[in-house]
């Protein structure tokens, strides 16, 4: 990272006589460039414009522009602070050279080895026209332009006074003349869009690419080579194959090259397979950066990459050469972060999405290949012969008709039941602080929800009923909470390792983020932690008329539904006691004194265990021997001291679905080899109101 060197004592003493304190909450540009301010912090600055780039469209809805500012602290040096602005074109500031700009709450970042600011949704930018700024002690308010956004905080009187003092006291030699400023501004319009997917690169092209590093950089003395991919395919790329027993020409139905190979392929290639990867050779400073900062798994942006055929004349390769001219582009390798989804390039997201699709398809084809190699492809039993596809027998049609009549009859019965339920809702005294979705849907009893649904079908010409492992269904129910897991509220939030797929809005958490190789190894503890809600509630039927043997159900509450339920983002509850108390207050609205009852029950069990261990009688036992009836009465008296559960029933939404879990018994493996379906119930669309 390039930092501004501390100024000489002479310069500091010269500036000290002319310096005026910044308004409260602002920092000097020197403090930022010297590294005094920590990266990631939101800062506010005031400075004069020495450079500006015109807004250009991005791949998102925003446009991008930049300003370069300097202030009193760096007036004697040829440096400035760049402000990168991302927002709609209509909200872009367009100051002229020498105008004073006030930037409020921008984020400090290190990008391409340089410190700069980047805007966010809360950043406010105000422009004071240089030609209208009066001399102090007058206020610069008349020079302030209209706000770019109505929600932005306006500068106060102290800021107006400081702007007037700064403009009339600062050395203006760093400000270019109008002609030079406008020439550079026009040049910034001619930015050529060089981004390209690997599937579209051609011989002789110079392009920018966003790629995943799939092999650690290799040191070749004054240069470094690495293999990268964006998970698109190019016919002129080298072909990597999974199996080394076939020829290299490929075959139909084998897009990933699992059954084909090419002579000389390295046996330790981890993928991707097929013609999806390109070798990049880096020279000079780019080689140094690649060896120092780039590693297997990194996502990088390579700029001004030259594409041409390699030594074998058959495969395209990339070359990142050093530009030794004074106006060279500098570092051309950008390491892309995966921990800031709000400010990520949409093209980066698409590359990660392609990687995820590739990994899923690769696993499917590997399993199919392994099955074929094991003789399972064509050696299994023939399927039972039946009627031609699309045709049904008269018996099947009669069965379908009976099933339809039965279904209609059941629907009529459910409608009558629902009408009776509505009459009884007022008697239940439902909790007004808990709301749920789909109020127009009927209420189902818990016993109905948990009852497995049989499926009537025909097997070998005989009617048969099959109990399905699960059904995908959603219900509304009137329930109350009678238990929860884990036992401690501190454990309701758990952490997992942050991975690149978290950038995608459709990432499903642990299933997408944790590979089979990471589980059970120390790798899962490396990297940034992401906290997620993970807890379960045991719900009991609230309507006394519907209570029976199956009147309780455990429902899981995942991260998204828990955020909706308690209106709190998951975090380390042990390290944040205030948030733990907020969670406890929210859940009290849901389950009343349940936590208190569970704590008393735990204390009672612990006391009983200690008493048995010490061979002591119950506290209320009479002195001397007692018969069994007296002992039982003593235990009842002891239990009666505990609080009774007191909470209100509420209406919630419950969904039923299935998950695959490991299964050692082949006869129970109904979800593929070594796996079976497990029925799960989950809470959704339910919220505790404040």
């Amino acid at each position: 990272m390039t930092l501004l060197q501390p100024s000489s004592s002479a310069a500091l003493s010269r500036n000290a006589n002319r310096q005026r304190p910044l308004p409260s909450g602002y920092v000097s540009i020197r403090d930022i460039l010297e590294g005094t301010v920590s990266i990631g912090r939101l800062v506010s600055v005031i400075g004069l414009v020495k450079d500006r780039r015109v807004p250009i469209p991005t791949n998102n809805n925003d446009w991008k522009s930049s300003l370069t500012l300097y202030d009193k602290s760096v007036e004697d040096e040829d440096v400035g602070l760049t402000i990168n602005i991302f927002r709609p074109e209509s909200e872009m500031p367009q100051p002229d050279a020498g105008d004073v700009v006030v930037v409020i709450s921008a984020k400090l970042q290190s990008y391409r080895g340089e410190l700069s600011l980047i805007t966010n949704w809360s950043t406010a930018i105000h422009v004071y026209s240089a030609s209208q700024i009066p001399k102090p002690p007058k206020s610069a308010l008349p020079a302030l332009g209209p706000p770019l956004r109505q929600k932005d905080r306006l500068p106060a009187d102290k800021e107006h006074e400081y702007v007037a003092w700064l403009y009339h006291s600062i050395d203006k030699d760093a400000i270019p003349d109008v002609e030079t400023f406008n020439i550079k501004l026009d040049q910034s319009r001619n930015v050529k869009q060089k981004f390209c997917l690997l599937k579209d690169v051609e011989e002789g092209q110079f392009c920018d690419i966003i790629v995943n590093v799939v092999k650690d950089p290799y040191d070749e003395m004054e240069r470094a080579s690495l293999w990268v991919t964006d998970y698109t395919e190019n016919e002129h790329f080298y072909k990597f194959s999974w199996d080394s027993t076939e020829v290299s020409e490929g075959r139909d139905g084998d897009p990933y090259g699992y059954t084909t190979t090419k002579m000389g392929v390295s046996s330790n290639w981890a993928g991707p397979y097929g013609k999806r990867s390109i070798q990049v050779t880096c020279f000079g400073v780019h080689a140094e950066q690649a060896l120092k900062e780039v590693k297997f798994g990194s996502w990088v942006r390579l700029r001004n990459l030259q594409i041409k055929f390699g030594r074998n004349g058959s495969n395209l390769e990339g070359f990142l050469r050093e530009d030794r001219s004074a106006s060279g582009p500098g570092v051309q390798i950008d390491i892309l972060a995966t921990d800031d989804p709000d400010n990520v390039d949409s093209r980066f997201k698409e590359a990660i999405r392609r990687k995820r699709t590739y990994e899923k398809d690769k696993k499917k084809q590997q399993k199919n290949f392994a099955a074929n190699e094991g003789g399972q492809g064509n050696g299994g039993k023939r399927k039972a012969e039946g009627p031609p596809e699309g045709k049904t027998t008269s018996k099947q049609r009669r069965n379908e008709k009976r099933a339809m009549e039965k279904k209609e009859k059941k629907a009529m019965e459910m409608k009558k039941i629902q009408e009776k339920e509505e009459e009884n809702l007022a008697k239940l005294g439902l909790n007004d602080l808990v709301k749920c979705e789909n109020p127009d849907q009927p209420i189902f009893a818990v016993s109905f929800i948990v009852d497995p649904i049989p499926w009537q079908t025909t097997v070998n010409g005989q009617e048969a009923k099959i109990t399905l492992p699960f059904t995908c269904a959603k219900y509304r129910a009137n329930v109350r909470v009678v238990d929860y897991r884990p036992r401690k509220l501190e454990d309701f939030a758990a952490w997992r390792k942050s991975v690149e797929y978290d950038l995608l809005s459709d990432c499903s958490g642990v299933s997408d983020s944790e590979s089979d190789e990471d589980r059970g190894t120390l790798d899962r503890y490396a990297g940034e932690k992401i906290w997620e809600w993970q807890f379960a509630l045991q719900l009991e039927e609230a309507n006394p008329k519907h209570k029976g043997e199956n009147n309780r159900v455990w429902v899981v509450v995942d991260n998204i539904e828990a955020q909706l339920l308690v209106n709190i983002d998951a975090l380390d509850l042990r390290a944040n006691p205030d948030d733990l108390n907020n969670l406890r207050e929210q859940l009290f609205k849901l389950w009343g004194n349940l936590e208190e009852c569970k704590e008393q029950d735990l204390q009672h069990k612990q006391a009983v265990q200690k008493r048995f261990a010490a061979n002591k009688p119950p506290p209320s036992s009479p002195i001397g021997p007692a018969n069994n009836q007296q002992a039982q009465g003593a235990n009842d008296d002891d239990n009666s001291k505990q609080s009774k559960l007191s909470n209100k029933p509420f209406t919630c939404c419950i969904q039923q679905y299935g998950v695959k879990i490991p299964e050692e018994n082949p006869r129970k493996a109904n979800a593929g080899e070594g796996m079976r379906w497990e029925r799960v119930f989950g809470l959704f669309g339910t919220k505790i109101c404040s």
Side-chain angles (χ1 to χ4, degrees):
M1 182 189 302
T2 303
L3 297 179
L4 183 66
Q5 296 298 319
S7 59
S8 66
S9 57
L12 287 175
S13 61
R14 184 170 65 253
N15 284 336
N17 296 328
R18 298 179 294 172
Q19 193 69 280
R20 173 172 176 164
L22 283 160
S24 177
Y26 289 82
V27 297
S28 69
I29 291 178
R30 170 167 291 279
D31 286 343
I32 293 175
L33 297 181
E34 286 184 350
T36 305
V37 182
S38 58
I39 294 176
R41 176 182 161 189
L42 296 178
V43 298
S44 300
V45 297
I46 302 177
L48 275 68
V49 177
K50 60 188 299 186
D51 190 24
R52 175 166 73 90
R53 302 297 175 93
V54 297
I56 58 175
T58 66
N59 290 285
N60 300 319
N61 295 328
D62 288 339
W63 288 56
K64 178 187 177 181
S65 178
S66 65
L67 306 174
T68 302
L69 308 181
Y70 79 105
D71 65 4
K72 197 75 175 170
S73 67
V74 294
E75 64 178 338
D76 297 324
E77 302 174 52
D78 186 20
V79 295
L81 178 65
T82 301
I83 321 295
N84 298 289
I85 306 170
F86 291 88
R87 53 176 55 180
E89 186 181 19
S90 60
E91 299 177 359
M92 282 289 183
Q94 298 185 13
D96 294 323
D99 286 353
V100 180
V101 174
V102 175
V103 180
I104 302 173
S105 191
K107 182 180 179 181
L108 177 61
Q109 66 171 358
S110 175
Y111 183 63
R112 296 177 184 168
E114 301 292 337
L115 294 171
S116 61
L117 299 185
I118 183 171
T119 60
N120 56 76
W121 65 271
S122 64
T123 303
I125 301 175
H126 299 285
V127 179
Y128 293 79
S129 175
S131 61
Q132 300 179 35
I133 299 177
K135 291 184 177 182
K138 291 184 178 180
S139 169
L141 177 60
L144 178 63
L148 299 171
R149 302 184 303 184
Q150 295 300 320
K151 67 176 184 178
D152 288 345
R153 178 180 77 80
L154 296 176
D157 291 340
K158 289 189 176 182
E159 290 153 310
H160 300 322
E161 295 170 4
Y162 183 84
V163 167
W165 172 84
L166 174 66
Y167 179 75
H168 289 284
S169 64
I170 197 170
D171 187 345
K172 298 182 179 63
D173 288 343
I175 302 174
D177 57 61
V178 175
E179 183 179 359
T180 302
F181 184 83
N182 289 334
I183 289 175
K184 289 186 176 181
L185 193 63
D186 289 336
Q187 289 175 345
S188 69
R189 303 178 192 272
N190 302 322
V191 178
K192 184 179 179 181
Q193 178 56 263
K194 299 170 67 176
F195 178 80
C196 189
L197 295 177
L198 289 182
K199 69 182 181 68
D200 299 321
V201 298
E202 299 175 348
E203 161 81 6
Q205 183 179 6
F206 285 83
C207 59
D208 299 344
I209 59 175
I210 293 177
V211 287
N212 192 198
V213 179
V214 294
K215 199 172 181 64
D216 282 323
Y218 180 71
D219 190 352
E220 300 182 27
M221 300 301 290
E222 295 183 356
R223 60 184 182 179
S225 64
L226 59 152
W227 284 88
V228 299
T229 180
D230 66 359
Y231 298 91
T232 62
E233 200 163 13
N234 190 305
E235 63 177 359
H236 296 299
F237 285 0
Y238 189 92
K239 184 169 185 177
F240 287 95
S241 301
W242 177 55
D243 181 39
S244 59
T245 61
E246 302 286 345
V247 295
S248 62
E249 294 305 318
R251 59 181 67 176
D252 292 339
D254 181 28
Y256 298 106
Y258 296 131
T259 59
T260 60
T261 188
K262 189 164 185 174
M263 296 302 293
V265 175
S266 175
S267 60
N268 62 354
W269 180 256
Y273 301 103
K275 297 182 177 183
R276 287 176 169 78
S277 301
I278 185 173
Q279 184 179 16
V280 175
T281 303
C282 306
F283 299 86
V285 294
H286 308 311
E288 295 176 8
Q289 185 190 10
L291 293 171
K292 185 182 299 183
E293 301 179 19
V294 178
K295 59 183 180 180
F296 171 77
S298 299
W299 284 92
V300 296
R301 179 190 288 109
L302 304 181
R303 294 178 290 112
N304 206 37
L305 180 72
Q306 181 186 14
I307 304 295
K308 67 176 187 177
F309 283 100
R311 291 182 179 178
N312 63 6
S314 301
N315 306 120
L316 290 175
E317 296 182 11
F319 298 88
L320 208 56
R321 304 187 186 278
E322 188 175 15
D323 190 339
R324 300 185 181 275
S325 65
S327 59
V331 177
Q332 294 168 217
I333 303 177
D334 301 328
I335 312 298
L336 303 179
T338 59
D339 57 355
D340 190 8
D342 295 332
N343 296 309
V344 71
D345 192 323
S346 62
R347 298 170 298 192
F348 183 21
K349 282 188 177 182
E350 288 304 314
I352 293 178
R353 203 180 303 278
R354 289 194 298 271
K355 177 180 180 179
R356 185 177 63 177
T357 301
Y358 166 83
E359 293 292 347
K360 289 181 178 179
D361 292 343
K362 180 186 75 171
K363 289 180 180 179
K364 289 180 182 178
Q365 192 174 6
Q366 284 178 331
K367 288 181 179 179
N368 292 338
F369 179 78
N372 291 333
E373 287 294 298
Q376 300 176 20
N378 298 319
K381 295 181 179 179
R382 288 189 307 160
K383 294 182 179 180
E385 295 183 359
E389 186 177 353
K391 295 184 179 181
T392 58
T393 64
S394 59
K395 189 172 185 178
Q396 288 176 328
R397 289 193 292 271
R398 288 195 301 271
N399 291 337
E400 291 175 359
K401 183 178 180 181
R402 287 195 213 101
M404 184 63 68
E405 292 174 350
K406 187 179 292 186
K407 187 176 180 180
E408 292 175 353
K409 182 179 179 182
K410 192 170 185 178
M412 292 295 296
E413 293 175 352
M414 289 302 302
K415 184 177 180 181
K416 293 179 180 179
I417 293 174
Q418 179 63 23
E419 292 174 352
K420 293 182 180 179
E421 288 291 343
E422 292 176 355
E423 297 176 1
N424 297 327
L425 279 180
K427 301 178 181 179
L428 295 179
L430 296 177
N431 192 343
D432 293 334
L433 295 177
V434 182
K435 305 293 183 183
C436 75
E437 300 174 352
N438 307 307
D440 56 332
Q441 296 299 313
I443 298 293
F444 290 88
V446 171
S447 58
F448 176 85
I449 295 174
V450 301
D451 189 27
I453 298 178
W455 179 261
Q456 188 168 345
T457 185
T458 303
V459 178
N460 295 328
Q462 300 293 325
E463 291 187 5
K465 284 187 178 181
I466 300 175
T467 300
L468 300 176
F470 70 93
T471 57
C472 292
K474 296 182 178 181
Y475 318 89
R476 289 177 76 243
N478 294 325
V479 296
R480 57 167 37 93
V481 183
V482 294
D483 199 359
Y484 58 82
R485 294 174 185 165
R487 186 181 63 81
K488 293 184 177 181
L489 296 192
E490 292 90 332
D491 298 323
F492 271 36
W495 67 268
R496 64 172 177 83
K497 185 173 74 172
S498 173
V499 293
E500 58 196 15
Y501 297 139
D502 294 325
L503 286 175
L504 307 179
S505 59
D506 55 347
C507 176
S508 59
V510 176
S511 61
D512 281 339
S513 67
E514 193 173 276
S515 66
D516 295 337
E517 291 81 2
D518 286 348
R519 293 171 185 166
T521 69
L522 293 178
D523 290 340
R524 72 181 301 269
Y525 297 97
E528 183 186 355
K529 294 180 179 178
I530 291 183
W531 288 88
E532 294 182 338
W533 294 113
Q534 293 181 10
F535 60 93
L537 305 174
Q538 189 180 37
L539 307 179
E540 182 183 72
E541 174 62 48
N543 194 331
K545 295 184 178 180
H546 292 162
K547 287 191 176 181
E549 294 182 0
N550 296 325
N551 66 328
R552 291 188 177 187
V553 60
W554 278 99
V555 296
V556 297
V557 187
D558 64 23
N559 186 54
I560 299 299
E561 297 304 333
Q563 287 180 1
L564 174 65
L565 180 68
V566 300
N567 196 28
I568 302 174
D569 290 335
L571 73 169
D572 186 351
L573 295 172
R574 285 184 169 81
N576 297 274
D578 291 340
D579 294 286
L580 177 62
N581 290 333
N582 292 338
L583 175 65
R584 179 171 281 112
E585 291 176 4
Q586 282 289 83
L587 292 175
F588 179 80
K589 302 173 185 176
L590 181 74
W591 62 39
N593 66 341
L594 177 59
E595 184 182 9
E596 178 186 348
C597 293
K598 284 178 65 71
E599 187 64 29
Q600 289 182 356
D601 182 59
L602 177 64
Q603 293 175 0
H604 172 70
K605 290 179 180 178
Q606 291 174 344
V608 171
Q609 291 175 353
K610 290 180 180 180
R611 190 176 72 239
F612 279 130
N615 199 23
K616 292 182 179 180
S620 57
S621 296
I623 299 176
N627 57 34
N628 291 338
Q629 188 173 0
Q630 289 174 323
Q632 180 65 40
N635 287 333
D636 292 341
D637 291 340
D638 194 20
N639 290 333
S640 66
K641 296 177 182 178
Q642 299 183 57
S643 299
K644 184 179 180 181
L645 178 60
S646 175
N647 57 26
K648 277 187 163 187
F650 57 90
T651 304
C652 70
C653 294
I654 300 173
Q655 59 183 341
Q656 179 186 168
Y657 55 95
V659 297
K660 292 182 179 181
I661 63 173
E663 176 57 60
E664 297 180 358
N665 188 344
R667 301 186 65 179
K668 296 182 179 179
N670 57 4
E673 184 177 356
M675 304 294 289
R676 70 174 173 86
W677 288 110
E678 177 81 358
R679 185 170 65 151
V680 178
F681 295 95
L683 190 77
F684 79 97
T686 306
K687 181 179 182 179
I688 303 172
C689 302
S690 302

